[in-house]
Amino acid sequence: MLDWLKQPWPWYVAGPLIGLTVPLLLLLGNKSFGISSSLRHICAACMPSKIPFFQYDWKKEVWNLFFVSGILLGGIIAGQLLADPQPVKVSAELSTELAGYGITDYSSMVPKDIFSWETLFTARGIIMMIVGGFLVGFGTRYAGGCTSGHAIMGLSNLQLPSLIATCCFMAGGFITTWLILPWILQL
Amino acid sequence: MSSSINTANTSFVKQIPDTDSEIRSANAVITSKSSFDKPLASNIKYLPAGIFFGILLVKAEIISWFRIREMFKLESFHMYGVIGSAVAVGMLSVWLIKKFKARSVEGEAIQPEPKPMNKGVIYGGLIFGVGWAITGACPGPLFAQIGTGATVTIVTLLSAVAGTWVYGLIRNRLPH
């Protein structure tokens, strides 16, 4: 059983369980699933700086901060107790492509050749961690949600704006993956 | 529905109403009373819910940069299967909740927030898509990645907080 749990879980097990997060949060307290708003609460709590967008009572939304703290703990539990000792398996096409960029370490799902303290202040590291992270935080709030808030919760609730948002997430991702990332990865 | 606190800003910049459906107390009429009276007791249950979700993010390899790149390069079905089946289960659940007028454990009527339409959905969506492809992470996986020991992701997360902060600073000058 434990050996099975330590392997990567197939999509048809993990996907439906992720979908169940939607009714779980609704039934627990009428909460709409959405994670990127936690970033806004952190701003409102730590550095509102008289910006109107951060002048609200973030304590009333504190459930969301408990939820993301849980995600962090879940990461620790999965990393400590359920870690897969095998290297991360990727498609043959991807490993061939990445080898061309000097990315060959498959010991972590967060590739150490790109994302590490050693590479943080290289050109590639700055773009991929600092600029990339900035775009995630800026874009999700501008769009009013992320993959969880729009693509899962919004689509589950048949919201047209969420369908448009999800299409834009994918369009931005495809354009970047095919046209921009090859240039960044070879830095 | 413009928030009254926005009036403090300069008069020459057009005020964009705060339509962020994810921040209920900032703009919504419907508010959950129970979570305000007993903050810790009524909110602690979201911690195990988050743990459940965090373990799923790791074991389904949604936190994997490799998986996100495979998805955008159409080299693997995995992520499409995860998101597709999650949405199918979510849709069915919301339909059932509405059909049977289910109430939350606190006895509150369940009403998922509608998502307002504005141009930000498009521009913000495209910007997030760029960030998602680069970092290989949406906001949830950022927290889970840190948990698994990829401590450098703290920098990516702080940068995402900074991105949200800058959006808040300049949002009245952006098309919505």
Side-chain angles (χ1 to χ4, degrees):
Chain A
M1 179 69 183
L2 194 62
D3 283 345
W4 188 85
L5 285 176
K6 284 183 175 183
Q7 292 170 22
W9 300 354
W11 66 264
Y12 49 83
V13 173
L17 287 173
I18 286 172
L20 286 179
T21 311
V22 169
L24 176 68
L25 293 176
L26 287 172
L27 291 169
L28 277 178
N30 191 22
K31 303 300 186 202
S32 290
F33 181 40
I35 294 170
S36 60
S37 43
S38 63
L39 305 174
R40 185 176 172 188
H41 305 324
I42 294 169
C43 290
C46 302
M47 43 190 171
S49 309
K50 298 194 173 132
I51 296 169
F53 193 61
F54 301 121
Q55 306 301 316
Y56 63 94
D57 189 358
W58 60 272
K59 287 177 189 144
K60 290 183 180 173
E61 304 289 339
V62 78
W63 77 272
N64 197 264
L65 296 175
F66 277 90
F67 186 69
V68 295
S69 305
I71 295 176
L72 183 79
L73 285 174
I76 295 174
I77 293 169
Q80 296 294 321
L81 304 177
L82 300 173
D84 184 9
Q86 302 296 316
V88 181
K89 286 185 192 65
V90 304
S91 68
E93 300 103 299
L94 188 67
S95 64
T96 309
E97 185 211 357
L98 294 180
Y101 301 119
I103 299 163
T104 51
D105 185 339
Y106 291 92
S107 64
S108 163
M109 286 190 274
V110 186
K112 288 178 182 161
D113 291 318
I114 307 173
F115 304 98
S116 69
W117 293 103
E118 290 76 32
T119 59
L120 179 57
F121 292 108
T122 61
R124 188 163 85 179
I126 289 171
I127 294 174
M128 296 196 64
M129 286 176 262
I130 298 176
V131 177
F134 186 92
L135 295 175
V136 168
F138 189 95
T140 51
R141 200 75 270 117
Y142 195 179
C146 60
T147 336
S148 56
H150 273 311
I152 296 181
M153 183 66 223
L155 290 185
S156 295
N157 195 26
L158 310 177
Q159 296 294 301
L160 181 62
S162 293
L163 181 62
I164 296 168
T166 304
C167 291
C168 290
F169 299 165
M170 296 307 291
F174 277 116
I175 292 166
T176 308
T177 296
W178 287 90
L179 303 179
I180 305 172
L181 259 177
W183 179 80
I184 299 171
L185 286 171
Q186 54 89 40
L187 286 174
Chain B
M1 164 163 52
S2 181
S3 171
S4 60
I5 43 190
N6 280 357
T7 50
N9 210 331
T10 44
S11 55
F12 54 86
V13 179
K14 187 170 159 273
Q15 294 298 308
I16 310 287
D18 187 347
T19 53
D20 193 339
S21 71
E22 295 192 337
I23 317 285
R24 281 191 173 184
S25 60
N27 61 1
V29 186
I30 315 145
T31 45
S32 166
K33 277 188 248 91
S34 52
S35 23
F36 307 158
D37 305 337
K38 289 173 276 174
L40 187 67
S42 64
N43 285 304
I44 194 77
K45 62 191 173 193
Y46 298 104
L47 193 72
I51 292 173
F52 165 76
F53 187 68
I55 293 174
L56 279 170
L57 286 180
V58 176
K59 294 316 298 178
E61 298 189 310
I62 297 163
I63 68 160
S64 170
W65 182 87
F66 301 108
R67 283 294 191 194
I68 304 303
R69 186 150 180 87
E70 281 176 345
M71 169 178 77
F72 284 127
K73 293 207 82 179
L74 302 174
E75 290 170 352
S76 164
F77 177 73
H78 182 81
M79 285 299 302
Y80 295 97
V82 167
I83 297 175
S85 58
V87 170
V89 170
M91 265 182 196
L92 181 66
S93 310
V94 171
W95 181 77
L96 285 171
I97 283 173
K98 287 181 173 171
K99 182 174 166 64
F100 292 104
K101 297 189 170 60
R103 288 182 168 265
S104 76
V105 291
E106 289 156 351
E108 195 178 356
I110 294 175
Q111 289 158 305
E113 278 308 85
K115 299 277 178 187
M117 185 58 205
N118 64 64
K119 293 193 204 95
V121 167
I122 297 166
Y123 300 131
L126 288 169
I127 294 169
F128 165 56
V130 175
W132 189 16
I134 294 177
T135 61
C138 11
L142 287 177
F143 290 97
Q145 284 181 353
I146 297 168
T148 60
T151 51
V152 77
T153 304
I154 292 169
V155 176
T156 316
L157 179 65
L158 288 177
S159 208
V161 172
T164 300
W165 190 87
V166 170
Y167 167 72
L169 183 70
I170 65 171
R171 68 188 295 274
N172 285 330
R173 292 174 178 81
L174 297 171
H176 276 83

